[in-house]
mmCIF file of all heavy atoms in Angstrom:
data_model
loop_
_atom_site.group_PDB
_atom_site.id
_atom_site.type_symbol
_atom_site.label_atom_id
_atom_site.label_comp_id
_atom_site.label_asym_id
_atom_site.label_seq_id
_atom_site.Cartn_x
_atom_site.Cartn_y
_atom_site.Cartn_z
ATOM 1 N N LEU A 6 100.087 125.387 101.074
ATOM 2 C CA LEU A 6 101.387 125.126 101.800
ATOM 3 C C LEU A 6 102.508 124.983 100.828
ATOM 4 O O LEU A 6 103.588 125.459 100.927
ATOM 5 C CB LEU A 6 101.255 123.920 102.749
ATOM 6 C CG LEU A 6 102.484 123.550 103.548
ATOM 7 C CD1 LEU A 6 102.901 124.645 104.586
ATOM 8 C CD2 LEU A 6 102.281 122.176 104.186
ATOM 9 N N LEU A 9 103.368 128.160 99.046
ATOM 10 C CA LEU A 9 104.146 129.113 99.943
ATOM 11 C C LEU A 9 105.545 128.634 100.186
ATOM 12 O O LEU A 9 106.499 129.501 100.145
ATOM 13 C CB LEU A 9 103.450 129.177 101.298
ATOM 14 C CG LEU A 9 102.203 130.068 101.385
ATOM 15 C CD1 LEU A 9 101.491 129.907 102.760
ATOM 16 C CD2 LEU A 9 102.627 131.570 101.196
ATOM 17 N N SER A 63 96.114 108.016 100.093
ATOM 18 C CA SER A 63 97.276 107.184 100.032
ATOM 19 C C SER A 63 98.162 107.521 98.786
ATOM 20 O O SER A 63 99.386 107.540 98.815
ATOM 21 C CB SER A 63 96.888 105.656 99.969
ATOM 22 O OG SER A 63 95.909 105.402 99.070
ATOM 23 N N ILE A 71 107.598 109.990 96.970
ATOM 24 C CA ILE A 71 108.458 109.638 95.852
ATOM 25 C C ILE A 71 109.064 110.735 95.175
ATOM 26 O O ILE A 71 110.311 110.711 94.700
ATOM 27 C CB ILE A 71 107.574 108.795 94.855
ATOM 28 C CG1 ILE A 71 107.080 107.440 95.565
ATOM 29 C CG2 ILE A 71 108.342 108.486 93.562
ATOM 30 C CD1 ILE A 71 108.219 106.573 95.972
ATOM 31 N N ILE A 94 112.426 122.202 89.588
ATOM 32 C CA ILE A 94 111.211 122.932 89.197
ATOM 33 C C ILE A 94 110.285 121.879 88.413
ATOM 34 O O ILE A 94 109.014 121.795 88.813
ATOM 35 C CB ILE A 94 111.465 124.100 88.155
ATOM 36 C CG1 ILE A 94 112.256 125.122 88.911
ATOM 37 C CG2 ILE A 94 110.166 124.664 87.672
ATOM 38 C CD1 ILE A 94 112.875 126.186 88.054
ATOM 39 N N VAL A 109 90.977 115.970 92.791
ATOM 40 C CA VAL A 109 89.765 116.690 92.197
ATOM 41 C C VAL A 109 88.560 115.837 92.216
ATOM 42 O O VAL A 109 88.600 114.603 92.387
ATOM 43 C CB VAL A 109 90.095 116.991 90.638
ATOM 44 C CG1 VAL A 109 91.043 118.103 90.605
ATOM 45 C CG2 VAL A 109 90.605 115.800 89.891
ATOM 46 N N TYR A 233 94.354 104.333 90.016
ATOM 47 C CA TYR A 233 93.399 105.260 90.707
ATOM 48 C C TYR A 233 92.325 105.604 89.780
ATOM 49 O O TYR A 233 91.098 105.635 90.179
ATOM 50 C CB TYR A 233 94.204 106.518 91.095
ATOM 51 C CG TYR A 233 93.315 107.598 91.696
ATOM 52 C CD1 TYR A 233 92.892 107.484 93.036
ATOM 53 C CD2 TYR A 233 92.879 108.660 90.927
ATOM 54 C CE1 TYR A 233 92.133 108.408 93.550
ATOM 55 C CE2 TYR A 233 92.126 109.617 91.512
ATOM 56 C CZ TYR A 233 91.669 109.480 92.795
ATOM 57 O OH TYR A 233 90.941 110.414 93.319
ATOM 58 N N VAL A 422 129.670 105.201 96.766
ATOM 59 C CA VAL A 422 128.367 104.990 97.431
ATOM 60 C C VAL A 422 128.326 105.907 98.639
ATOM 61 O O VAL A 422 129.082 105.828 99.557
ATOM 62 C CB VAL A 422 128.268 103.491 98.011
ATOM 63 C CG1 VAL A 422 126.865 103.367 98.578
ATOM 64 C CG2 VAL A 422 128.363 102.568 96.787
ATOM 65 N N LEU A 433 112.828 104.815 101.561
ATOM 66 C CA LEU A 433 111.882 104.082 100.695
ATOM 67 C C LEU A 433 111.388 102.790 101.346
ATOM 68 O O LEU A 433 110.375 102.247 100.931
ATOM 69 C CB LEU A 433 112.505 103.743 99.339
ATOM 70 C CG LEU A 433 112.524 104.878 98.295
ATOM 71 C CD1 LEU A 433 113.438 104.506 97.242
ATOM 72 C CD2 LEU A 433 111.173 105.204 97.836
#
Side-chain angles (χ1 to χ4, degrees):
Chain A
L6 178 69
L9 278 173
S63 49
I71 293 299
I94 295 167
V109 286
Y233 176 78
V422 183
L433 280 169

